Amino acid sequence: MTTASTTAQPTSSAAPNGTRELAEFVVRTRFEDLSTDLVHHVRRSTIDCLGVALGAADHPSVQILLDTIDTLGGHPQATVWTTARRSSVAYAALVNGHLAHVLDYDDSYMPEVTILHGNAPVVPAALGVGEWLGVSGQAYVEAFALGFEVEARVALSAGRAHYGQGWHVTSTVGGLGAAAAAGKLLGLDEQQMTYALGIAGTQAGGLSEVLGSMSKGFHPGRAAMNGVLAALLAQRGFTSAEDILTGRRGFHYAFPSDRDIDAMVGELGRRWELRRAAFKAFACGIVVQPMIDAIIRLRDEHGVVAADVESIEARVNPTVLEPTGKTDPKTGLEGKFSVYHTAAVALIDGAAGPAQYTDERVLDSNVIDLRRRVRIVTDETLRKDEANVTLRLLDGRELTRYVPHGIGTAENPLTDEQLTRKFRSLVEPVMGPARADELLATLNRLEQLPAIGELTGLLARVSA
Amino acid sequence: MTTASTTAQPTSSAAPNGTRELAEFVVRTRFEDLSTDLVHHVRRSTIDCLGVALGAADHPSVQILLDTIDTLGGHPQATVWTTARRSSVAYAALVNGHLAHVLDYDDSYMPEVTILHGNAPVVPAALGVGEWLGVSGQAYVEAFALGFEVEARVALSAGRAHYGQGWHVTSTVGGLGAAAAAGKLLGLDEQQMTYALGIAGTQAGGLSEVLGSMSKGFHPGRAAMNGVLAALLAQRGFTSAEDILTGRRGFHYAFPSDRDIDAMVGELGRRWELRRAAFKAFACGIVVQPMIDAIIRLRDEHGVVAADVESIEARVNPTVLEPTGKTDPKTGLEGKFSVYHTAAVALIDGAAGPAQYTDERVLDSNVIDLRRRVRIVTDETLRKDEANVTLRLLDGRELTRYVPHGIGTAENPLTDEQLTRKFRSLVEPVMGPARADELLATLNRLEQLPAIGELTGLLARVSA
């Protein structure tokens, strides 16, 4: 069979170029275009991101990354958070992005079709490049808002098809957000921004197979570094695809994707996906948090202790078992991906913070005993932020609690006060209460800071 | 090649772990296990890779990469080829991998189901880490052979499904090869090697949408850097998936893949895919080279000049039009992805070297005039190394030439002498004839070098 071919489809055709639409949006939008509630949201995002990142200071994976970047070297351009180091904007982004995600306690953007933890790739890129360039708080807010918006819209567009196939969304789209944020601060023009997204997009990757290992936190670290590198290259004239996103062999065609292009480029500047980001109440995968909320309410409302419980049954959205189906976790990190461990510690401890995801807690015999009596029923009629939990007690009673929107979701967000409490609980053990106060005071006037260095200087470890 | 049927299995089951099989093979195999012809092949691979890399010294994209890595900084660990610089093993790998691919003149591994340019990710990783650690020529040969074998086997396993979907194979699998090579030199144990492949595999990416831009060369540069970083992290205890390749949400499940797992792990140490790698005779995509071969033969055998030609018709394998279908290239790089430009310059110049892929040559009016008279007929009955070209002359004659195996393919390889001539033609303009001689003499005793630094020292620019 032969086919004569006379035409190719070069990228210069008249088809809509989704990448250029995003690039144009990023280049033209200014701080003045952001409403007060968006600026407030950026402040909340930054507080949450820095809290969970600083709280991860002593995770063993962090020391390995530090040793590696020390081995490779780099100019001291940006603070490596929780250390006395400054490194290049690339490696600072790598470590800081990892710090911001490794506790699995960072923000969640969770429309029906996807899940993204958008802060970990973008805050490190924007803060690091901003620190290096000596920009103002307003410039940081602008860059973060735009970077987050780019990655969230690509995630939304890629949707269920993307999320369901083994791709870690935070990783695949994060580099695009980081490139947009870094590129905004570097003052890229529309063509350079298009190429920056191209260079970031062609580095996109990140397999869910690594969930439960140190490589999960590495994903947004790598994405942050990819984005910074992409913006630096594009600024200097490095070329890439004219349309990495909607081009024929681009992101939405090579990766599985719903290709909801309108979700990606519709209503730019009017619809802000950033408004839908929420902050976690518990230090584990977002999909199990409505269940935790229900278990803790039952425990607290009825004074239930583990010794009373015959079994725990939780009805949840089917996405819960995909990432968190580990029945027999061996490490703290694996525990975050075990809905069984999570249910057990939520009932025993009434909490699901970093202390519930240590190796010791995962191997505790009481926890193991209870987690064997956890039963998960998936129910497609439940949304991802819903859960229905029944405790069967040894005395024959059954206690049931339905949670329509788990705490820490967009419909039931942490208050500013709860967010501050979360920040303190994570930062004080690492930095001390005085530094935590100072950080919060600085963060609360984020958009008024003449120089973002006033904030980033406080992210260095006090004594180390 | 049998197609293994594989079922989705969680990594905790007793399913075969393809990643660990590869890791075990890499860890146990020694120089002594390599036959003489394989060592000869490694020498040829290294000569070809360094020739095309040094020949790319003055490509404008290279200066941009150099400026970027200078901006970021790093310890002087490995030579950045064609410069007076040493940089970290990570950034040296980035630039050297780009150098090795940007001319599209590097090696081709081309079984029926895929196409891989395997040197560009692996030679820079192995030479750079080898230089840093001060290893012997034998250790380099060992590391390169194993690194190439890993990436080639993953490419072969992923096969047509992978190649056809917008993924640039050299990029997606290259980091795995680079990690294996770097990890071998770093002395990783089996668990560390498994994690190194995990960290590299979860960084895999690279979209064909960027073909024709500077980002194509960036792909293997990035892959080389990814692999080096993965090996350094794994050496220090960073964890990853236990089975990044055949795990349920791993490489062969997230990416489109034929999942021919037997091709990936069968006959390890007995079947060497490295033997099937070939070296290009022309500086463009491998799939158009049989056509070039046929056109140059017709031109030389019949003394045809452009003014005699009414039209050129080439019957080729259908994969030709996918990467090289640009009808109206505007830059030298785009010209490499235009079978029309390539046919025209092959007839006019009797060549398809770097001089045929400059911006000037692509915009030449005679070339443009002739390329409009090129017709490509795709024919599924032709293999990728076959072509059948007919020239229709203005005097009414038709001249036809069938090429069963284009020069520079595994079945019709360049001789050692042709390879040496290619090396000189690329290296002498950059380094001068004396340095080219010295390099060839050193390369010809590659496996006898007490220290690989003897070779890498010669890759620095003589005066710059």
Side-chain angles (χ1 to χ4, degrees), chain A residues 189-263:
Chain A
D189 66 24
E190 195 182 305
Q191 180 65 63
Q192 292 169 327
M193 188 66 78
T194 303
Y195 287 156
L197 295 176
I199 303 165
T202 202
Q203 297 179 77
L207 300 168
S208 303
E209 186 68 23
V210 307
L211 266 57
S213 79
M214 294 177 183
S215 294
K216 181 171 190 253
F218 178 76
H219 279 172
R222 203 67 183 65
M225 178 175 166
N226 288 348
V228 169
L229 191 58
L232 290 174
L233 287 167
Q235 185 190 30
R236 286 159 178 73
F238 208 78
T239 64
S240 191
E242 294 295 335
D243 182 7
I244 199 69
L245 293 168
T246 50
R248 192 165 58 91
R249 290 171 293 168
F251 185 99
H252 285 299
Y253 293 86
F255 285 102
S257 169
D258 290 349
R259 298 177 199 163
D260 183 353
I261 305 304
D262 186 57

Side-chain angles (χ1 to χ4, degrees), chain A residues 2-3 5 8 11 67 71-72 75 77 202-203 207 209 214-215 219 222 226 236 239-240 249 322, chain B residues 11 67 71-72 75 77 202-203 207 209 214-215 219 222 226 236 239-240 249 315 321-322 325 378:
Chain A
T2 66
T3 312
S5 166
T11 50
D67 183 41
T71 299
L72 296 171
H75 296 314
Q77 295 164 340
T202 202
Q203 297 179 77
L207 300 168
E209 186 68 23
M214 294 177 183
S215 294
H219 279 172
R222 203 67 183 65
N226 288 348
R236 286 159 178 73
T239 64
S240 191
R249 290 171 293 168
E322 177 55 28
Chain B
T11 50
D67 183 42
T71 298
L72 297 169
H75 297 314
Q77 295 163 340
T202 202
Q203 297 179 78
L207 300 168
E209 187 68 23
M214 295 177 183
S215 294
H219 279 172
R222 201 68 182 61
N226 288 349
R236 286 157 179 76
T239 63
S240 192
R249 289 172 295 169
R315 300 181 83 83
L321 280 182
E322 176 55 29
T378 59

Side-chain angles (χ1 to χ4, degrees), chain B residues 183-206:
Chain B
K184 182 69 179 174
L185 291 167
L186 289 165
L188 302 191
D189 66 24
E190 195 181 304
Q191 181 65 64
Q192 291 170 326
M193 187 67 78
T194 302
Y195 287 156
L197 294 176
I199 302 165
T202 202
Q203 297 179 78

Side-chain angles (χ1 to χ4, degrees), chain A residues 8-264:
Chain A
Q9 280 107 49
T11 50
S12 56
S13 83
N17 180 332
T19 311
R20 192 164 282 268
E21 288 186 59
L22 283 181
E24 193 275 333
F25 167 66
V26 172
V27 169
R28 95 173 119 79
T29 305
R30 309 298 308 256
F31 179 82
E32 292 69 28
D33 301 318
L34 305 178
S35 61
T36 311
D37 78 297
L38 279 172
V39 175
H40 180 228
H41 201 106
V42 173
R43 198 184 311 125
R44 281 166 58 90
S45 293
T46 309
I47 290 171
D48 192 69
C49 179
L50 293 176
V52 297
L54 300 183
D58 297 321
H59 193 279
S61 59
V62 176
Q63 194 53 52
I64 298 174
L65 281 170
L66 293 175
D67 183 41
T68 304
I69 68 165
D70 288 350
T71 299
L72 296 171
H75 296 314
Q77 295 164 340
T79 303
V80 182
W81 306 341
T82 76
T83 79
R85 275 178 201 76
R86 287 154 63 85
S87 186
S88 70
V89 282
Y91 292 147
L94 175 67
V95 180
N96 294 339
H98 178 85
L99 277 164
H101 193 58
V102 69
L103 293 185
D104 290 298
Y105 205 176
D106 48 331
D107 65 302
S108 299
Y109 164 75
M110 196 167 63
E112 273 307 292
V113 299
T114 192
I115 297 178
L116 164 72
H117 309 292
N119 284 348
V122 176
V123 173
L127 272 189
V129 173
E131 176 182 4
W132 178 43
L133 300 177
V135 307
S136 69
Q138 284 195 0
Y140 162 77
V141 169
E142 185 184 277
F144 171 79
L146 291 164
F148 189 97
E149 198 61 21
V150 165
E151 62 177 346
R153 282 167 169 267
V154 177
L156 188 64
S157 169
R160 285 181 206 278
H162 191 68
Y163 178 73
Q165 178 84 22
W167 293 105
H168 182 208
V169 181
T170 299
S171 186
T172 59
V173 306
L176 292 157
K184 181 70 178 174
L185 292 168
L186 289 165
L188 302 192
D189 66 24
E190 195 182 305
Q191 180 65 63
Q192 292 169 327
M193 188 66 78
T194 303
Y195 287 156
L197 295 176
I199 303 165
T202 202
Q203 297 179 77
L207 300 168
S208 303
E209 186 68 23
V210 307
L211 266 57
S213 79
M214 294 177 183
S215 294
K216 181 171 190 253
F218 178 76
H219 279 172
R222 203 67 183 65
M225 178 175 166
N226 288 348
V228 169
L229 191 58
L232 290 174
L233 287 167
Q235 185 190 30
R236 286 159 178 73
F238 208 78
T239 64
S240 191
E242 294 295 335
D243 182 7
I244 199 69
L245 293 168
T246 50
R248 192 165 58 91
R249 290 171 293 168
F251 185 99
H252 285 299
Y253 293 86
F255 285 102
S257 169
D258 290 349
R259 298 177 199 163
D260 183 353
I261 305 304
D262 186 57
M264 188 173 84

Side-chain angles (χ1 to χ4, degrees), chain B residues 368-422:
Chain B
I368 291 173
D369 179 57
L370 182 56
R371 84 180 175 222
R372 294 195 175 134
R373 289 178 279 130
V374 174
R375 180 154 177 273
I376 303 300
V377 180
T378 59
D379 183 340
E380 287 184 4
T381 67
L382 294 175
R383 290 182 319 274
K384 292 198 289 290
D385 62 349
E386 266 177 305
N388 203 339
V389 172
T390 299
L391 300 184
R392 288 195 181 78
L393 304 187
L394 291 168
D395 65 11
R397 278 187 298 159
E398 281 196 10
L399 306 175
T400 293
R401 188 67 150 93
Y402 167 66
V403 168
H405 300 289
I407 185 167
T409 59
E411 287 74 12
N412 183 15
L414 298 190
T415 63
D416 282 1
E417 196 199 320
Q418 288 171 318
L419 199 67
T420 301
R421 208 178 311 138
K422 177 181 173 185

